[in-house]
Structures are given as C-alpha cells and as structure tokens.
Amino acid sequence: MIFKATKENITNAGELIKAGDVVAFPTETVYGLGASAYNPQAIAKIYAIKNRPHFNPLISHIAEVDFLKEYAIVDERVLALAKKFWPGPLTFILKRKDDNPALDLACAGLKKISVRMPNHPVALDLIRAAGVPIVAPSANKSQTISPTTAQHVQASLGDAVPMILDAGACNVGVESTIIDVSEKQIVLLRAGGIALETLEEFLGEKILISDGNPNKPSSPGQMLRHYAPKYETRINVEHPAPDEFYIGFGDMDCDLNLSPTGDLQEATANLFQMMHLAEEQTKKHKIAIAPIPNIGLGRAINDRIKRASYK
Ligand code: TXA
Ligand code: MG
C-alpha cells in the first residue's frame, strides 16, 4: 500500500524494518525494496517478492560514512570518493572486514560487500529510523523495468509490500554506478547515475570497464536480459517502422521524447518512466528507441536499453 513519506510514516516504516519486514522507499535513482542487512529472513522475503535468483547480492544503504568502516575494508581512496560523491548514485564493492555470517545472505555468500549512501532525505531518514544498514534492490519483479515512482512499485509488486513510501518521482531515474574498489585497479561493474568520466577525472586514473561475462556474472546486474519491457524492443533506431512505438532523443518526431533538447541527464531521468509508458501505450506491441550518444550518462542509458532489447 502507498503511504505519503511523512515523518510519522517514515518512523513506522523504520519499525517495520526493525521487526524484520520489508518496505519500499524512494532514492534518487529508483525506488528500492528495503530490509535490514542483518536479517536473513527479511532478505529472503525480498528475494521471494521480487522473484529474484538467489545468487544476486544486494546493496547495503547507509546514512553515515562511519558505518562503512564497520564492515568493509576501506582505504584513503575510497574515503575520498565517498566524501566527494556521497550521498549520491555511486556504489562501492569492497572487501568484507570480517565474516559476520549475518551479512552472508545480503552478500550472497561473497567475500565482498556493496555499499552506497543514497541522496534522498526519505531514504536517509528511513535508514536512521531503522538503525541498521538497509539492503535494497530495485522495487520491481526481477527482469522488469525499474520503478521510478511509488505507483510503478505498486503495479509491479502489489500488496506483497506492506508499505510503499511515496515521495514522487526519482530525479536521477537510473540505478547507481557500481565500481569495484577492492583492488588497485578500479573496475566499473554497472554504468549508472554518475558518469564514468566524472569519476576518472576526480581520481586522475582510468577505470577498467568490466567485460562482464553475462553467463557467469560477478555482478548479476550484468545479466543480458534485464530491465525488459513486455514487448519486442529495438534500439539505435533512426527510422521506426509504422507499427513501432517510438521513443526519441533530440529534436525529432516520436511518440515520447527522452529529451527534445538532447540533454542526457534529462533523458536518464525520463528513461524508465517512458519505458513504462511505452509498455502501457503501445497498441502495436513493438517499441523502438532512437540512438543515444554513448558518453557520460548516455553509457548508463545504452546499457539499460541494450538489455531491454535482448531477446
Ligand atoms: O541505484 C541503485 O543502486 C538501486 C537503489 C535502490 O539503491 N539499487 C539497485 O539494486 O539497483 P539492484 O539489486 O537492482 O542492483 C545491484 C547490483 C546487482 O547487479 C548485484 O548483483 C550487484 O549490484 N552487487 C551487489 N553486491 C555485489 C557484490 N558484493 N559483488 C558484486 N556485485 C554486487
Ligand atoms: Mg534491479
């Protein structure tokens, strides 16, 4: 059920998480389905509700940088990145500090843990109210388009979620950028809300782009079919067929336009919303998407639509 994200409702949501239940909540990227990182039963609920394969590890969301040091090995470089980009759409994969078995399910048994601090007041208040790191995948059925509004969550997961905190549409609109910072060479595992170029510029070093064998993913967000609309989707389409619902970019004729001015940030924020709309509105059951420049946030967009088009 959808609840407005008032102070009182956030407090109640925090109590639910403490009690081992799940809550859907807004972040700046997409809506997440949250549970206590320390509660395997609650995490199992997330997997069940999402219909998610069990080998997928989850991102722990924190509100205080100090929390990071409690269960992950961090160095100066990671702390500098956190200082610069947190709260924000950047997730670190780090070595776990100890083998605290309570975190095993959150990490899907891996020796590494993923952590981020979301840039959304409701998410941060919820984490503080719960008093624990909150693990949260996107609040949708596995392999469907990620939710950027509370209504998307309701439509995908329905009444399996006791509480959906509603704070309107997410302003980044695409998931966080994931980098593995556990070794000397930093590796990009998922393009997302912070551009690769922005990170490289800050670090003064190159980030390796993971070749991600999709059949044996180290980060299952690399699975080929992911974020998929119900209908056949083609990408890089300059001339759509008459029977295709056309999602455009830049100055052009189309059914929906990600950004008429060709602004990649605007396009990112609109992406999932427009894929949802295309799914609802296409009468012909076919979707085509215009070419998107593969720079900056365009990389995250192309990554998502490539998966959406995978058969
Ligand atoms: O923006 C986001 O990151 C959103 C919001 C809710 O914070 N969350 C999100 O979570 O996108 P999810 O579960 O849909 O995607 C997390 C990705 C998955 O592909 C998972 O396999 C990978 O992160 N991942 C998590 N922990 C990992 C680990 N320890 N090692 C490798 N990959 C990991
Ligand atoms: Mg997801």
Side-chain angles (χ1 to χ4, degrees):
M1 217 171 121
I2 296 179
F3 292 82
K4 227 175 140 215
T6 60
K7 213 168 163 224
E8 195 189 346
N9 285 333
I10 295 172
T11 306
N12 293 340
E15 291 301 322
L16 277 180
I17 290 201
K18 274 190 210 166
D21 218 323
V22 298
V23 168
F25 63 99
T27 80
E28 80 281 34
T29 59
V30 300
Y31 274 69
L33 181 61
S36 162
Y38 295 121
N39 190 324
Q41 271 94 6
I43 295 172
K45 251 184 231 176
I46 292 183
Y47 287 127
I49 292 172
K50 276 185 66 76
N51 219 348
R52 189 179 225 217
H54 275 244
F55 51 76
N56 255 10
L58 302 175
I59 298 172
S60 292
H61 296 70
I62 60 174
E64 251 65 62
V65 176
D66 278 351
F67 236 85
L68 188 61
K69 303 176 192 161
E70 269 180 42
Y71 50 72
I73 297 172
V74 292
D75 56 17
E76 287 307 317
R77 187 176 60 170
V78 171
L79 292 176
L81 280 166
K83 191 161 177 224
K84 173 78 181 170
F85 296 104
W86 278 3
L90 179 63
T91 297
F92 301 131
I93 309 267
L94 295 154
K95 286 202 182 96
R96 282 166 68 178
K97 197 166 189 175
D98 53 37
D99 287 334
N100 184 348
L103 289 171
D104 273 353
L105 192 55
C107 301
L110 301 175
K111 297 287 170 225
K112 293 181 182 176
I113 185 162
S114 58
V115 189
R116 88 173 186 101
M117 188 188 290
N119 187 16
H120 196 295
V122 174
L124 293 172
D125 284 349
L126 177 66
I127 296 163
R128 292 191 183 109
V132 288
I134 295 181
V135 287
S138 49
N140 57 315
K141 290 276 186 201
S142 257
Q143 302 200 339
T144 63
I145 305 164
S146 292
T148 54
T149 65
Q151 288 70 30
H152 293 160
V153 179
Q154 178 70 39
S156 184
L157 303 181
D159 294 332
V161 183
M163 205 169 181
I164 302 168
L165 287 174
D166 183 0
C170 305
N171 62 16
V172 173
V174 72
E175 293 89 342
S176 59
T177 300
I178 304 181
I179 52 176
D180 186 328
V181 286
S182 64
E183 308 288 345
K184 192 165 179 299
Q185 171 67 61
I186 301 183
V187 181
L188 177 78
L189 292 182
R190 177 174 76 185
I194 287 188
L196 181 70
E197 293 88 337
T198 308
L199 296 173
E200 289 184 328
E201 196 183 320
F202 174 75
L203 288 162
E205 60 180 279
K206 280 278 170 203
I207 293 176
L208 197 73
I209 299 177
S210 158
D211 56 0
N213 174 354
N215 297 318
K216 207 167 172 295
S218 60
S219 182
Q222 297 168 344
M223 278 190 299
L224 274 180
R225 195 182 150 79
H226 207 108
Y227 313 103
K230 275 186 251 159
Y231 305 119
E232 187 182 323
T233 302
R234 291 199 305 137
I235 58 174
N236 287 320
V237 177
E238 285 182 47
H239 305 287
D243 66 347
E244 285 177 318
F245 186 96
Y246 192 39
I247 300 180
F249 176 81
D251 186 17
M252 60 170 68
D253 276 336
C254 50
D255 295 298
L256 285 172
N257 200 321
L258 289 168
S259 171
T261 59
D263 178 320
L264 285 170
Q265 190 172 328
E266 183 185 25
T268 307
N270 283 332
L271 179 67
F272 289 140
Q273 170 76 6
M274 289 190 176
M275 280 166 64
H276 278 285
L277 287 173
E279 212 174 46
E280 284 162 23
Q281 292 176 14
T282 178
K283 305 250 170 10
K284 318 267 173 47
H285 296 179
K286 281 184 183 173
I287 299 168
I289 307 177
I292 312 289
N294 203 34
I295 47 161
L297 293 176
R299 236 185 264 273
I301 299 178
N302 279 313
D303 172 78
R304 303 306 185 275
I305 62 179
K306 205 162 118 200
R307 292 167 208 278
S309 70
Y310 186 78
K311 284 188 214 136

